[in-house]
Amino acid sequence: MILAIDESGSFTEGSQEFSVFAAVHLRQRKTLYKMKREQFAIWENSLPRSLKNSKGEIKSSSLSDEQLLSFCKDVLMTQQRVAVTPIIINPSENPARIVEKHQSSQLKDIEIGIKEYAKLGKPKMAKSYEEFRNWFAKLNYSKYLKLFSLGNLIVISLSNALGHSIANKYDNELVQLKFMIDRDFIKEPRHNAFWRELLRSQIYHASKMYPLPLLNTWARKGHPFLAKYSKDGELSLGKLFWERCTFDNSHENFEIRMADAICTIISRNINRNQCEDSYKLLRFCFIRDRRVTNLVLNDFDISKWSYKPEDNPWLKLPNQALLTE
């Protein structure tokens, strides 16, 4: 199963418009994957060549509502129907003062993690986490909100992928699970490593709200997913997010271009009341309750914030080391 991710929106402070993230779930059984790739290619080739950019790619933002409707009819809704996990976030609902509180509390957690590595006699790890802290501290409002949304989408789409595959009896494909993310998010190799540490924290906290729906019978009878992603009797997702989570070019991967088109449809409908017919069809692809998750950062009194070791993923406790082995 491939979870391809893209976004639409500016994430600009004070913006009244919703920014959108979406993960398109693609089955990897050979015939189904080939069929969806061919359906997308036929639809894309039907579009005017004049819409292609310098990389030979057609961005969905340049398409008409009618062209996006044909995408829904000819690609998403045809056999096998595609599953989608969508989320939205509105900067006006997430003011900078609240974002700064969350960023500040996370920085305190990282700094305590640095001290713990130093106490353990691991100066190289402490140094790496100092670099990570400096990178994280420099994230501006838009970048923080964007990475916050991306991390939450990954957690929610993973939970949805597990639940949907179990309910529809194709959970044997989970062992091939892979995330493909538009390369625009992270470009520098060192920042890639820092982002994965940030993702570790997001998985740790968000999984409490969106727990992974694993069957009890998997532990008793055995399951390929647990065999690949468990360690010492506990789920360990380090291998998944280091080896099977990549940043890829959209012009080389139709999966990401599909996610791009989905984001455009959601954005136009929610922000401008456009693409009504496309959105009606697209909703049938939404997993769970066919609704879009709206992310809102909770406010809190940072002067009363107190450190809790059990909530700090950077202490590298054995059951918290999701991204570092």
Side-chain angles (χ1 to χ4, degrees):
M1 183 189 314
I2 293 174
L3 299 180
I5 294 174
D6 204 355
E7 55 79 28
S8 175
S10 67
F11 298 85
T12 303
E13 181 183 348
S15 172
Q16 298 290 325
E17 289 201 344
F18 285 95
S19 293
V20 181
F21 267 90
V24 55
H25 300 231
L26 292 169
R27 298 276 303 273
Q28 281 178 282
R29 201 174 76 192
K30 189 173 182 180
T31 54
L32 295 179
Y33 179 78
K34 181 180 179 181
M35 181 189 305
K36 198 55 58 180
R37 182 180 60 196
E38 291 177 348
Q39 290 169 355
F40 184 83
I42 292 171
W43 169 76
E44 197 172 46
N45 290 334
S46 71
L47 300 173
R49 291 186 178 182
S50 59
L51 295 176
K52 290 185 177 181
N53 60 20
S54 59
K55 296 180 180 179
E57 177 185 3
I58 297 176
K59 287 292 187 179
S60 61
S61 58
S62 65
L63 301 182
S64 67
D65 288 6
E66 290 74 19
Q67 288 165 332
L68 290 169
L69 178 59
S70 68
F71 164 72
C72 290
K73 290 180 177 179
D74 300 337
V75 182
L76 297 185
M77 300 301 295
T78 52
Q79 191 71 15
Q80 178 83 21
R81 184 192 296 177
V82 169
V84 174
T85 296
I87 65 170
I88 55 176
I89 190 164
N90 193 322
S92 66
E93 296 176 353
N94 296 274
R97 62 178 182 82
I98 295 178
V99 170
E100 289 169 2
K101 291 179 183 180
H102 283 264
Q103 192 168 6
S104 178
S105 64
Q106 287 176 283
L107 280 170
K108 292 178 181 179
D109 277 345
I110 298 171
E111 288 166 358
I112 292 171
I114 293 170
K115 293 177 181 178
E116 291 297 322
Y117 277 119
K119 287 180 182 178
L120 291 172
K122 297 183 177 181
K124 289 185 178 180
M125 289 298 294
K127 179 67 174 176
S128 293
Y129 274 72
E130 285 179 4
E131 294 176 15
F132 170 47
R133 176 197 59 194
N134 295 337
W135 170 81
F136 185 71
K138 292 178 181 178
L139 292 178
N140 60 27
Y141 174 91
S142 297
K143 192 72 170 181
Y144 181 92
L145 212 63
K146 198 170 185 178
L147 294 180
F148 167 77
S149 303
L150 173 59
N152 275 271
L153 176 63
I154 287 174
V155 174
I156 298 170
S157 62
L158 174 59
S159 177
N160 284 350
L162 287 164
H164 192 266
S165 65
I166 291 171
N168 292 279
K169 302 186 185 305
Y170 65 94
D171 52 280
N172 61 305
E173 295 181 27
L174 288 172
V175 72
Q176 296 177 293
L177 188 64
K178 177 183 180 182
F179 286 90
M180 298 176 64
I181 308 170
D182 187 11
R183 189 178 291 279
D184 283 348
F185 294 109
I186 302 290
K187 296 180 180 179
E188 297 184 29
R190 191 60 172 157
H191 293 174
N192 191 326
F194 292 158
W195 172 76
R196 292 173 198 272
E197 280 300 310
L198 180 60
L199 178 61
R200 174 154 74 97
S201 171
Q202 290 178 301
I203 293 171
Y204 179 71
H205 291 291
S207 61
K208 296 178 181 179
M209 184 177 295
Y210 303 101
L212 301 183
L214 306 178
L215 294 180
N216 293 333
T217 54
W218 287 10
R220 295 198 308 268
K221 299 180 180 180
H223 191 278
F225 184 78
L226 289 186
K228 189 171 184 178
Y229 297 117
S230 61
K231 185 177 181 180
D232 299 327
E234 294 185 354
L235 196 63
S236 177
L237 300 176
K239 192 173 183 179
L240 172 62
F241 288 109
W242 275 106
E243 300 178 6
R244 306 283 294 174
C245 182
T246 58
F247 291 94
D248 302 291
N249 293 317
S250 59
H251 68 276
E252 297 174 342
N253 297 276
F254 81 95
E255 302 93 335
I256 296 175
R257 298 201 298 279
M258 286 183 66
D260 174 57
I262 289 168
C263 286
T264 296
I265 292 170
I266 297 172
S267 178
R268 287 186 186 177
N269 184 262
I270 291 178
N271 292 315
R272 305 171 196 170
N273 293 319
Q274 298 175 356
C275 286
E276 290 186 9
D277 292 335
S278 297
Y279 189 74
K280 287 178 183 178
L281 291 179
L282 179 58
R283 281 192 62 191
F284 286 104
C285 300
F286 293 170
I287 294 182
R288 289 191 181 181
D289 56 6
R290 292 183 181 171
R291 294 184 180 181
V292 183
T293 299
N294 183 22
L295 299 178
V296 180
L297 283 161
N298 64 297
D299 194 6
F300 64 97
D301 186 348
I302 197 165
S303 66
K304 296 180 180 179
W305 179 86
S306 60
Y307 172 69
K308 297 179 181 179
E310 65 272 17
D311 287 339
N312 188 353
W314 288 296
L315 286 182
K316 204 169 189 271
L317 298 175
N319 64 340
Q320 295 174 326
L322 295 179
L323 297 187
T324 54
E325 299 295 333

